[in-house]
Amino acid sequence: PFVDLDQVLGRARERLDAGDPERAVEILEPAVSTAPRSIEIRKLFDRACIALRESIYRNDLPPDRIPVLARPLEQMLGEPLTPEEGFLLSRVDGTWDLKSIIGISPLGELEALRILKRLRDKGIISMKQMSVASRRA
């Protein structure tokens, strides 16, 4: 299928300039695979990914917070989860901070962040402050 790269770039820049890096990444992802040699697409995609990572850490999932299950596990058994969501969720034990969970994940940092944000948005996990005792350890 033909992709109008100029149109894709324009829409992605608009979203990025409007402070919506998540949508910019979504717009650019298919274009990166369709036009893997386009330096312009790659540069804008990288810029959007950096902005999205920073935005998620700043606004949604602070790296020093600890993800915890927001509901009892029994209530989540019927939840349709992807294998990646299941893997990350299996690491949420109330003791590991976000950065540690992402660090042991075979997923890229941004992909893991997006999945954890989606789990939080679905009400499956929430974030708690790290205790003073665990900060000293």
Side-chain angles (χ1 to χ4, degrees):
F2 174 74
V3 175
D4 183 343
L5 294 182
D6 289 333
Q7 183 181 10
V8 169
L9 285 165
R11 286 181 30 233
R13 275 192 195 102
E14 258 178 37
R15 297 313 325 140
L16 210 45
D17 292 344
D20 187 1
E22 188 164 14
R23 184 66 188 126
V25 168
E26 290 168 359
I27 291 167
L28 290 164
E29 277 174 326
V32 168
S33 6
T34 307
R37 295 183 181 182
S38 170
I39 293 169
E40 201 172 0
I41 291 277
R42 173 50 68 188
K43 280 183 178 178
L44 190 59
F45 181 70
D46 290 347
R47 195 175 119 215
C49 286
I50 289 167
L52 178 54
R53 185 178 64 239
E54 290 171 356
S55 171
I56 292 173
Y57 278 136
R58 183 179 50 252
N59 302 318
D60 302 296
L61 304 171
D64 62 339
R65 294 279 175 94
I66 297 173
V68 294
L69 296 178
R71 318 183 291 226
L73 197 53
E74 307 79 55
Q75 289 181 11
M76 290 187 263
L77 292 176
E79 223 30 83
L81 298 172
T82 67
E84 295 81 7
E85 288 171 332
F87 173 83
L88 289 171
L89 198 55
S90 73
R91 301 309 182 260
V92 173
D93 66 358
T95 61
W96 288 46
D97 65 39
L98 185 75
K99 212 52 170 156
S100 299
I101 291 172
I102 290 170
I104 62 145
S105 167
L107 306 170
E109 180 183 19
L110 184 59
E111 184 180 1
L113 268 175
R114 289 171 79 187
I115 291 168
L116 288 164
K117 180 182 179 300
R118 189 166 56 240
L119 291 171
R120 197 222 44 196
D121 291 349
K122 287 179 176 179
I124 295 174
I125 64 170
S126 62
M127 304 301 285
K128 74 173 187 175
Q129 284 280 61
M130 192 181 292
S131 72
V132 175
S134 59
R135 274 191 221 147
R136 284 190 222 131

